[in-house]
Amino acid sequence: MNTITLKTNGSIEHEGKIMESGPLRFLGFQIILDEGYTLRSYFELLQNYSLLAELNAFIPGYHEQYSACPQSGCVCNGVEYLEFSKTVEMIGSPQKRLEIYHSLKGISGDESVEIKSMQLANLLDLPIKLGKLRHIVFGDRVDLFEFDTVFTMFEFIDGIAWELSFHSTPNQCAIRR
């Protein structure tokens, strides 16, 4: 599979060269995140390659929120990093169904931390790491398997945008720390 590196400054590196334009041709490429890649790096990617912002209807609304955030120090106590992962659920009865979705969660130690109630300004400077694929089989009992996997640039951009769409708590209602 073709591979690209998403750099912390929001650029795309392919075969050792920074790509100045043409990001759509890389949507199906496997991504590697540069050491120290953060949610801020994700938004820089969307600014550097504005065409990518058209991939998800929620993305344009984030630009205003992102622009209003401080330039640094946007972290949340109790969350060490964000993990982007993939889940495949097989549901056996009464109807047979397969669901595939992506998640963005906070991680503290070995524990998963829900971030939906956290403001963007508390998440921007947290590192992002790529997680595993979780395969869950629902039947008479629930079986859970974890696998190493790859993520494409499209999955990454769209998956994070989808997850952030649930972050709608107004600033006035945010939990202050």
Side-chain angles (χ1 to χ4, degrees):
M1 177 174 238
N2 291 319
T3 303
I4 58 172
T5 300
L6 300 182
K7 307 296 279 180
T8 58
N9 66 359
S11 61
I12 299 170
E13 180 182 271
H14 180 248
E15 297 178 345
K17 298 177 186 165
I18 299 297
M19 299 291 103
E20 300 296 328
S21 62
L24 295 183
R25 69 177 175 237
F26 300 114
L27 288 176
F29 282 39
Q30 175 185 348
I31 60 166
I32 296 171
L33 300 180
D34 206 12
E35 184 69 32
Y37 195 90
T38 64
L39 195 55
R40 186 179 302 278
S41 304
Y42 170 84
F43 282 102
E44 292 294 319
L45 174 74
L46 297 175
Q47 284 186 326
N48 290 345
Y49 306 94
S50 58
L51 195 54
L52 296 176
E54 296 181 34
L55 292 176
N56 185 293
F58 296 109
I59 292 173
Y62 302 136
H63 181 70
E64 187 176 315
Q65 288 179 49
Y66 171 69
S67 298
C69 291
Q71 296 295 315
S72 63
C74 296
V75 295
C76 178
N77 292 335
V79 179
E80 296 169 30
Y81 64 92
L82 301 173
E83 181 182 79
F84 184 73
S85 61
K86 190 183 307 187
T87 302
V88 175
E89 291 182 352
M90 294 177 66
I91 300 142
S93 95
Q95 60 192 44
K96 294 178 182 171
R97 192 169 81 233
L98 176 73
E99 294 182 10
I100 302 170
Y101 57 90
H102 296 92
S103 301
L104 183 67
K105 297 180 181 173
I107 303 294
S108 178
D110 292 335
E111 299 292 318
S112 177
V113 178
E114 192 59 56
I115 60 171
K116 289 181 181 165
S117 64
M118 296 178 189
Q119 297 296 310
L120 188 60
N122 295 345
L123 301 171
L124 281 177
D125 294 319
L126 291 171
I128 298 177
K129 296 183 182 180
L130 299 176
K132 294 189 178 268
L133 177 131
R134 289 175 185 87
H135 185 162
I136 304 170
V137 181
F138 294 99
D140 291 337
R141 66 177 201 269
V142 176
D143 292 314
L144 173 67
F145 306 96
E146 288 192 334
F147 302 94
D148 290 331
T149 192
V150 299
F151 296 91
T152 65
M153 185 166 73
F154 177 77
E155 289 176 312
F156 187 71
I157 292 170
D158 187 62
I160 289 179
W162 175 255
E163 282 295 316
L164 291 178
S165 71
F166 295 101
H167 292 241
S168 59
T169 306
N171 282 333
Q172 296 83 347
C173 299
I175 298 173
R176 303 277 185 238
R177 293 191 188 244

